[in-house]
Amino acid sequence: MSAKTSALLCGARDTVPMLIGATPFGVIFGTLAVASGLSLPATLLMSALVFAGSAQFIAVSLIASGAGLVVLLLTTFIVNLRHALYSASLMSHVSHLSQRWKIPLAFWLTDESFAVVQRHYLDPQIPLENKHWYYLGSCLAMYGNWFLCTLVGALLGNALPGMAGWGLDFAMVATFTGIVVPLLRTRPMLLAAVVAGLVALVACDLPWKLGLMLAALCGVSAGVLAERWSAAASVREVGNESV
């Protein structure tokens, strides 16, 4: 087995825990999409071309309520702005790749793949050479799983119309908790998570999911300020010791 194939399979393997949480989420989306009036081909096409769980859920609900195209595009755009933060975090690791790599990897980037891939990139013991194959393996695992679960949910939508009320979406909450907690290694990271969580709770009733972006901005700002204060305190301590 070549090093590229090995990295690809390792990326898919390490993403399996994320697939467990995403599976019921994808099935519920397929069920809701069909119940909201989308045809089976349209539902599958959305998962194939959009591939953004939260944005797809919001889009389906807006379509069912008769919202206009401008509102639909603006709302899903705002919800997906968090991916700009993911991309900025990974940019230094993929800047050497060609466009034929960057474009599909950018399209396939999700919350789950970001969590898996970032830890892989931060491991200094693994050479950079084939890490993008690991990245690709994680993305393909998530993409294939999401499309398959959408198909299953759409086919089961008519047979089990009450599936959305079964509480299966809790698996996704548990998955995101598993993504975030291991990354909280410093006080600025912990402060950012706490601030973002509190703001998200307070602003959850804002329209168009603006509370999500507000929470992200407040969390990032709190983390940056805490990092600067920590660095300034370290400088002062060094200065006092030298004196």
Side-chain angles (χ1 to χ4, degrees):
M1 183 184 298
S2 67
K4 295 178 180 179
T5 303
S6 178
L8 183 78
L9 294 178
C10 285
R13 179 202 63 197
D14 292 347
T15 309
V16 169
M18 303 298 178
L19 301 183
I20 297 174
T23 293
F25 202 55
V27 172
I28 292 173
F29 167 73
T31 303
L32 289 179
V34 172
S36 299
L38 266 67
S39 64
L40 177 61
T43 300
L44 295 179
L45 197 62
M46 180 179 285
S47 283
L49 299 181
V50 178
F51 188 45
S54 56
Q56 289 180 229
F57 270 93
I58 293 171
V60 166
S61 64
L62 290 175
I63 291 173
S65 65
L69 181 61
V70 174
V71 173
L72 177 64
L73 293 176
L74 180 61
T75 304
T76 53
F77 173 75
I78 291 174
V79 169
N80 280 334
L81 277 178
R82 69 188 188 280
H83 289 276
L85 301 177
Y86 297 160
S87 300
S89 178
L90 294 176
M91 179 58 67
S92 61
H93 303 299
V94 300
S95 58
H96 66 287
L97 299 177
S98 64
Q99 287 297 103
R100 70 185 183 91
W101 272 99
K102 290 180 180 178
I103 292 175
L105 290 180
F107 168 74
W108 280 322
L109 181 61
T110 60
D111 304 282
E112 296 84 359
S113 288
F114 171 77
V116 173
V117 170
Q118 187 195 41
R119 285 197 292 266
H120 189 72
Y121 271 115
L122 292 178
D123 190 341
Q125 298 181 352
I126 303 175
L128 181 63
E129 182 181 1
N130 292 318
K131 284 187 176 181
H132 55 291
W133 285 95
Y134 180 95
Y135 186 168
L136 179 62
S138 176
C139 290
L140 291 179
M142 286 300 304
Y143 186 68
N145 180 75
W146 181 255
F147 186 84
L148 179 61
C149 291
T150 299
L151 175 61
V152 171
L155 293 176
L156 292 177
N158 294 326
L160 300 171
M163 183 180 293
W166 290 6
L168 298 177
D169 50 341
F170 175 76
M172 203 60 182
V173 177
T175 299
F176 276 105
T177 302
I179 290 174
V180 173
V181 171
L183 298 177
L184 304 180
R185 301 172 181 173
T186 65
R187 290 182 178 178
M189 290 180 179
L190 181 59
L191 178 63
V194 171
V195 170
L198 292 176
V199 173
L201 288 175
V202 174
C204 64
D205 292 329
L206 291 179
W208 300 346
K209 299 296 180 180
L210 290 175
L212 179 64
M213 284 310 303
L214 181 61
L217 290 174
C218 291
V220 170
S221 299
V224 170
L225 290 175
E227 190 73 37
R228 290 180 177 177
W229 289 336
S230 178
S234 298
V235 171
R236 287 195 298 269
E237 289 179 3
V238 172
N240 291 335
E241 290 177 359
S242 62
V243 173

